[in-house]
């Protein structure tokens, strides 16, 4: 038997061991030397997470600085599905669903990893910091929280239709939150953070950041107290009259600043998703309707400036009037009346208005309506505004000019009508209605808004004569004695317009739009108030259902603004041409 040399065997073994060790050494050199940078970068990428940093949304405040909408600190609850333990998924989903009213199945799906799973999955937004702390203290592996912001509305539904709301995506869904969304929202940033295997941030790890730019705020012209009064008054009247809806506008005619813009029904922007879609917009600018008799002041202005009519011009007003194939009537039957033009306006006579309108051409009537703002948006800047309907003269039918003269066959929104009366109250100069005083930065510094545009519509003398005539509306011989305010001279106009029934395209069964709009003190106008009720069921004349709300809101606003009582008496308005 031949024995192998043990030394030789030992040498062979050593060579084999050396060879294996050289392979390991070579691989180690490759990993730690040649390819180390690539593997290190891959490891960092695996640990690195990009997190969005939302900008602080700018606040919206009332004229006095009180908050209408503001942004507060909040948290987003997130998960790393890879880190969440399989045995804890059901428990986590159940706990979060119970705490935040979420769908448990949907949460469980987010917590279950797949081949396409993101290591950062957002579970709940806008969580109050204390509640977020409760979640993180439960020590669920793979669950954490990050800072974000939440929109709150301290006044609840106060001015909700003006301010609007912010949707679940962080964008404005209505009102100024929508139309001014880009400015309010600012610009989001981002941050890349390195997380450990347990999901904790590595303090000395990679950290890149692009800081967010906070949004600018809005300071509004709205007076919080007057807004509250207007909103309360219209809500009560809508309920009392069984109306479909209602609105109130309060303006300063000198600068066209809107002090209140209220609608009913309204909504709470914090729970906007529970409201009817019809209640989320702003009816003041979005809802078009035939203005009825409130539009007669434009016809009056045209007749006085282009037709030679004066407040004393006599008109013989029959009980009915036929033009072409249509017969027109007043709201109440009467025999032949002998009225001054001031009496025509005070009694809101459709027939008398038609007779006065025949002193001007159809083109002239159209031009005055355009000059007062009909057929175009007001410029207030709220979303979804209706420009109304005012057809060009070449599209008018044979009888359109007569109906248009007293407020039919033309459509407006409520703010357009308020602007007409603000123009008269401002001596014939129309100022673009405006809601925004200026913008504020993150330190609260106010930058005033540009001065609103203005244009002269009628002569100051015409505006003064119209004002005296409108004072006659609130006398015992006019259509709105209920609009009188003790101690103040009030000028205004009622409107009781039939609504078109969409079923037949006629005025039968469509209900009414009931309006009163006026200003005070008449000798030095400082406030305009308009009240509109759609389809009231318990009474429908503007002087009956809208004028009392005007009186209530105007009285409050006069006291709130510390406007002293009138120092003079209203001039006598001659109603009848036969000196009765």
């Amino acid at each position: 038997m031949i024995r192998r040399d043990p030394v030789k065997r030992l040498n062979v073994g050593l060579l084999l061991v050396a060879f294996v060790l050289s392979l390991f050494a070579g691989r180690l050199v490759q990993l730690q030397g040649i390819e180390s940078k690539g593997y290190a970068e891959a490891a960092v990428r695996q640990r690195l997470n990009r997190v969005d940093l939302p900008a602080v949304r700018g606040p919206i405040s009332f004229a006095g600085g009180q908050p209408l909408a503001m942004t507060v600190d909040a948290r987003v609850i997130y998960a790393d599905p890879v880190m969440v333990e399989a045995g804890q998924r059901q428990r986590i989903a159940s706990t979060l669903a119970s705490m935040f009213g979420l769908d448990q199945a949907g949460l469980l799906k987010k917590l279950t990893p797949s081949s396409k799973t993101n290591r950062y999955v957002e579970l709940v937004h806008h969580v109050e910091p204390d509640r977020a702390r409760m979640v993180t203290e439960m020590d669920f592996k793979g669950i954490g929280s990050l800072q974000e912001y939440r929109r709150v509305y301290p006044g609840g539904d106060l001015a909700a239709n003006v301010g609007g709301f912010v949707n679940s995506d962080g964008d404005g869904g209505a009102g100024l939150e929508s139309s001014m969304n880009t400015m309010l929202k600012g610009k989001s940033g981002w941050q890349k953070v390195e997380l450990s295997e347990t999901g904790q941030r590595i303090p000395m790890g990679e950290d890149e950041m692009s800081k967010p730019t906070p949004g600018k705020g809005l300071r509004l012209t709205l007076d919080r107290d007057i807004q509250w009064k207007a909103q309360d008054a219209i809500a009560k009247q809508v309920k009392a009259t069984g109306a479909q809806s209602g609105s109130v506008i309060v303006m300063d005619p000198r600068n066209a600043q809107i002090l209140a813009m209220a609608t009913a029904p309204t909504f709470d922007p914090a729970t906007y998703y529970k409201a009817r879609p019809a209640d989320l917009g702003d009816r003041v600018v979005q809802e078009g309707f035939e203005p009825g008799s409130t539009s007669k002041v434009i016809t009056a202005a045209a007749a006085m400036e282009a037709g030679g009519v004066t407040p004393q011009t006599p008109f013989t007003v029959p009980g009915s009037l036929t033009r072409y194939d249509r017969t027109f009537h007043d709201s109440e039957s009467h025999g032949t009346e002998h009225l001054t033009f001031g009496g025509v306006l005070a009694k809101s006579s459709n027939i008398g208005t038609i007779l006065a309108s025949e002193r001007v051409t159809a083109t002239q009537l159209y031009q005055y309506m355009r000059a007062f703002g009909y057929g175009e948006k007001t410029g207030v800047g709220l979303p979804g505004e209706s420009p109304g309907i005012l057809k060009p003269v070449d599209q008018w039918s044979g009888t359109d000019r007569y109906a248009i003269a007293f407020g039919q066959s033309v459509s407006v929104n409520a703010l357009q009508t308020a602007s007409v009366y603000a123009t008269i109250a401002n001596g014939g100069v129309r100022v673009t209605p405006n809601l925004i005083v200026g913008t504020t930065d993150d330190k609260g510094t106010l930058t005033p808004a540009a001065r609103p545009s203005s244009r002269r519509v009628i002569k100051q003398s015409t505006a003064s004569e119209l004002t005296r005539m409108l004072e006659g509306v609130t006398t015992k011989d006019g259509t709105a004695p209920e609009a009188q305010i003790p101690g103040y001279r009030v000028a205004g106009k009622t409107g009781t317009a039939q609504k078109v029934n969409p079923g037949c395209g006629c005025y039968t069964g469509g209900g009414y739009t009931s309006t009163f709009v006026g200003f005070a003190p008449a000798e030095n106008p400082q406030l305009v108030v308009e009240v509109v009720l759609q389809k009231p069921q318990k009474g429908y004349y503007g002087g009956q259902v809208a004028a009392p709300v005007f009186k209530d809101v105007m009285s409050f606003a006069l006291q709130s603004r510390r406007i002293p009582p009138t120092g003079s008496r209203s001039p006598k308005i001659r109603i009848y041409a036969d000196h009765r």
Side-chain angles (χ1 to χ4, degrees):
M1 182 176 180
I2 300 174
R3 292 188 177 184
R4 294 181 179 178
D5 186 350
V7 175
K8 185 177 182 179
R9 282 188 293 157
L10 181 61
N11 289 335
V12 171
L14 289 173
L15 285 172
L16 289 173
V17 171
F19 177 73
V20 172
L21 289 175
S22 67
L23 290 177
F24 282 123
R27 182 60 175 163
L28 191 62
V29 170
Q30 181 185 23
L31 292 176
Q32 293 188 341
I34 301 172
E35 298 180 1
S36 62
K37 186 176 180 181
Y39 280 101
E41 290 177 350
V44 170
R45 284 197 301 270
Q46 191 173 18
R47 297 193 303 269
L48 206 58
N49 286 267
R50 173 171 168 148
V51 178
D52 288 332
L53 300 177
V56 179
R57 192 176 183 90
I60 303 175
S61 59
F62 289 98
Q66 309 94 335
L68 188 160
M70 58 189 295
T71 299
V72 297
D73 195 21
R75 299 290 185 272
V76 55
I77 306 297
Y78 70 88
D80 178 350
V82 174
M83 295 301 303
V84 175
E85 297 175 347
Q88 290 288 309
R89 290 176 194 142
Q90 185 67 50
R91 183 185 171 196
I92 295 172
S94 175
T95 300
L96 296 182
S98 176
M99 287 183 68
F100 302 109
L102 301 173
D103 177 56
Q104 184 173 329
L107 285 171
L108 189 59
K109 184 177 180 180
K110 290 182 178 181
L111 294 169
T112 304
S114 67
S115 59
K116 298 182 180 179
T117 294
N118 191 328
R119 296 292 299 271
Y120 175 79
V121 178
E122 295 175 344
L123 304 177
V124 195
H125 280 280
H126 306 146
V127 179
E128 295 175 358
D130 288 344
R131 299 190 75 194
R133 194 175 303 113
M134 291 173 59
V135 174
T136 55
E137 288 176 352
M138 293 177 185
D139 287 331
F140 289 131
K141 193 173 182 181
I143 302 297
S145 71
L146 289 172
Q147 185 179 37
E148 64 171 1
Y149 302 99
R150 181 167 59 95
R151 199 67 160 169
V152 296
Y153 302 87
D157 64 6
L158 189 65
N161 299 92
V162 176
F165 62 88
V166 173
N167 61 29
S168 58
D169 294 326
D171 291 314
L176 292 170
E177 293 274 34
S178 174
S179 63
M180 306 296 287
N181 182 62
T182 301
M183 188 198 77
L184 288 166
K185 189 175 182 179
K187 185 178 180 181
S188 297
W190 53 266
Q191 183 177 19
K192 289 182 179 180
V193 297
E194 196 173 349
L195 303 179
S196 69
E197 290 184 0
T198 60
Q200 301 301 312
R201 181 175 175 179
I202 301 174
M204 301 301 290
E206 293 284 332
D207 192 346
E208 297 180 54
M209 176 186 289
S210 173
K211 291 185 178 181
T213 303
K216 291 184 178 179
L218 287 176
R219 179 71 55 82
L220 305 186
T221 60
L222 296 180
D223 182 300
R224 185 182 63 173
D225 294 339
I226 298 176
Q227 175 70 31
W228 175 85
K229 180 61 179 180
Q231 205 160 310
D232 180 67
I234 194 60
K236 287 177 178 177
Q237 190 68 338
V238 165
K239 182 177 180 180
T241 62
Q244 182 182 76
S245 63
S247 60
V248 173
I249 304 168
V250 182
M251 292 179 67
D252 183 334
R254 298 165 297 182
N255 53 24
Q257 288 189 348
I258 299 171
L259 307 179
M261 185 182 283
T263 67
T266 184
F267 71 100
D268 185 342
T271 54
Y272 67 89
Y273 44 84
K274 296 181 180 179
R276 298 185 310 166
D279 296 336
L280 295 176
D282 199 324
R283 293 182 178 89
V284 169
V285 296
Q286 293 179 352
E287 188 173 67
F289 56 88
E290 293 192 349
S293 296
T294 57
S295 191
K296 290 174 181 174
V297 291
I298 300 180
T299 303
M304 292 167 70
E305 289 202 342
V309 176
T310 70
Q312 292 74 40
T313 299
F315 286 91
T316 300
V317 182
S320 63
L321 185 70
T322 301
R323 291 292 184 267
Y324 295 98
D325 59 347
R326 183 175 175 183
T327 299
F328 298 92
H329 302 85
D330 283 331
S331 59
E332 294 183 359
S333 299
H334 61 80
T336 298
E337 294 182 326
H338 300 279
L339 302 175
T340 64
F341 188 48
V344 167
L345 199 61
K347 286 185 165 294
S348 197
S349 170
N350 294 340
I351 296 173
T353 303
I354 290 173
L355 294 172
S357 74
E358 292 180 322
R359 305 287 181 95
V360 299
T361 66
T363 298
Q364 288 172 321
L365 180 59
Y366 172 83
Q367 290 171 340
Y368 273 89
M369 288 188 162
R370 288 289 298 182
F372 271 102
Y374 277 20
E376 65 182 17
K377 293 182 179 181
T378 61
V380 74
L382 286 169
E385 180 176 359
S386 167
I389 300 173
L390 177 62
K391 297 182 293 185
V393 176
D394 58 9
Q395 295 179 22
W396 290 9
S397 68
T399 59
D400 274 351
R401 64 160 293 158
Y402 307 111
I404 288 172
F406 62 84
Q408 285 186 354
S409 300
V410 62
S411 170
V412 299
N413 65 50
L415 186 56
Q416 286 174 321
T417 298
S419 178
V420 168
Y421 284 78
T423 298
I424 295 169
N426 194 38
V429 176
R430 182 187 186 275
V431 181
T432 300
N434 57 97
L435 265 171
I436 299 173
V437 173
T439 59
T440 56
D441 60 19
D442 56 346
K443 295 181 178 61
T445 304
L446 178 68
T447 301
R451 188 173 181 177
S453 62
S454 63
R455 64 174 184 253
R456 177 161 291 283
V457 176
I458 55 176
K459 293 182 291 187
Q460 186 167 357
S461 58
T462 305
S464 297
E465 290 180 320
L466 282 171
T467 297
R468 287 195 294 273
M469 293 165 68
L470 290 170
E471 285 191 74
V473 174
T474 61
T475 66
K476 61 182 179 62
D477 292 320
T479 57
E482 291 190 52
Q484 293 180 8
I485 298 175
Y488 293 88
R489 287 168 55 180
V490 176
K493 187 73 188 72
T494 54
T496 307
Q498 290 176 292
K499 295 180 70 69
V500 174
N501 185 337
C504 62
C506 60
Y507 289 104
T508 304
Y512 291 86
T513 297
S514 306
T515 309
F516 185 86
V517 54
F519 48 89
E523 77 285 4
N524 180 26
Q526 297 185 53
L527 292 171
V528 172
V529 174
E530 179 185 16
V531 180
V532 180
L533 289 160
Q534 298 291 353
K535 293 187 176 182
Q537 303 300 308
K538 300 175 183 177
Y540 59 86
Y541 285 113
Q544 176 186 11
V545 297
V549 180
F550 166 89
K551 178 180 179 178
D552 189 20
V553 175
M554 178 64 89
S555 298
F556 180 90
L558 287 167
Q559 293 178 25
S560 179
R561 306 287 279 192
R562 294 181 173 84
I563 298 172
T566 296
S568 61
R569 291 185 178 184
S570 298
K572 288 289 184 181
I573 305 297
R574 190 153 60 92
I575 304 295
Y576 297 99
D578 58 357
H579 304 285
R580 284 175 52 187

